[in-house]
Amino acid sequence: MNETLTILKSTSITILSATVILVISQFLNNFLFAALKEYQTIKGKISYTLIYTGNLYGIANAKSKKNDITQTVNDGAIELRKLACSLIEIHQTIPFKQLLTILHIVPSVEKIKKVSGNIIGLSNLLFEDDPWDDKNEKYIEIKDLLNIL
């Protein structure tokens, strides 16, 4: 009888421990890691879009007569603005931001605001005649703050 009780206790502790580990891992996976993965994805999209729109600066301005060029530049500006908004949106969903900021896993809210502002600034510069100095400054700051290529 004593041996059966010991086996039952041991089995119960094992099942309870496995259940706790499963709940904790599911919590971390769905709550924390999913948000961090989404954040990494938006960083990749920002990197891609910065390179993709890099050739659009200065080719169209408000006086441009070519509708196809103007539309292409406008599409690039819209995409940059969407990414700036998505970055803020996704950063808001990351739990334990203060701890993750201290651990240098995600940037601070101030850095994200600065990056978002620079991305919107880049979208505005697409229609400038000579945007190169401002563009390069914003581009480098975005890359440095997000730690992207």
Side-chain angles (χ1 to χ4, degrees):
M1 184 73 170
N2 230 0
E3 193 174 304
T4 307
L5 190 58
T6 305
I7 292 172
L8 260 169
K9 283 181 183 179
S10 175
T11 305
S12 298
I13 290 172
T14 302
I15 291 172
L16 183 62
S17 298
T19 304
V20 168
I21 290 171
L22 176 67
V23 168
I24 290 171
S25 68
Q26 288 299 312
F27 174 78
L28 287 174
N29 188 39
N30 293 331
F31 188 63
L32 179 63
F33 298 138
L36 290 175
K37 184 177 190 295
E38 198 172 349
Y39 170 71
Q40 292 297 330
T41 301
I42 196 70
K43 276 178 50 175
K45 287 181 181 178
I46 289 170
S47 182
Y48 171 84
T49 304
L50 289 176
I51 294 167
Y52 184 76
T53 58
N55 68 330
L56 299 178
Y57 291 92
I59 65 169
N61 56 31
K63 301 171 191 161
S64 180
K65 302 290 186 213
K66 296 181 180 179
N67 285 338
D68 56 338
I69 290 175
T70 303
Q71 185 61 42
T72 302
V73 173
N74 193 43
D75 290 345
I78 290 170
E79 184 62 27
L80 285 168
R81 286 179 171 274
K82 285 180 182 178
L83 287 172
C85 295
S86 293
L87 179 64
I88 289 177
E89 174 189 17
I90 289 168
H91 193 263
Q92 292 297 316
T93 66
I94 298 173
F96 313 117
K97 265 192 292 286
Q98 290 80 11
L99 175 63
L100 296 174
T101 299
I102 291 169
L103 297 173
H104 300 287
I105 295 172
V106 295
S108 66
V109 173
E110 293 78 23
K111 287 182 179 180
I112 293 296
K113 285 180 183 177
K114 191 178 282 190
V115 168
S116 181
N118 281 332
I119 293 172
I120 289 173
L122 285 176
S123 76
N124 294 338
L125 287 173
L126 283 173
F127 289 98
E128 292 288 323
D129 289 333
D130 189 20
W132 302 110
D133 290 338
D134 291 335
K135 180 229 176 226
N136 290 335
E137 179 183 314
K138 291 180 185 311
Y139 184 79
I140 289 169
E141 189 170 15
I142 290 168
K143 286 175 35 173
D144 290 345
L145 290 173
L146 286 182
N147 196 23
I148 58 178
L149 300 174

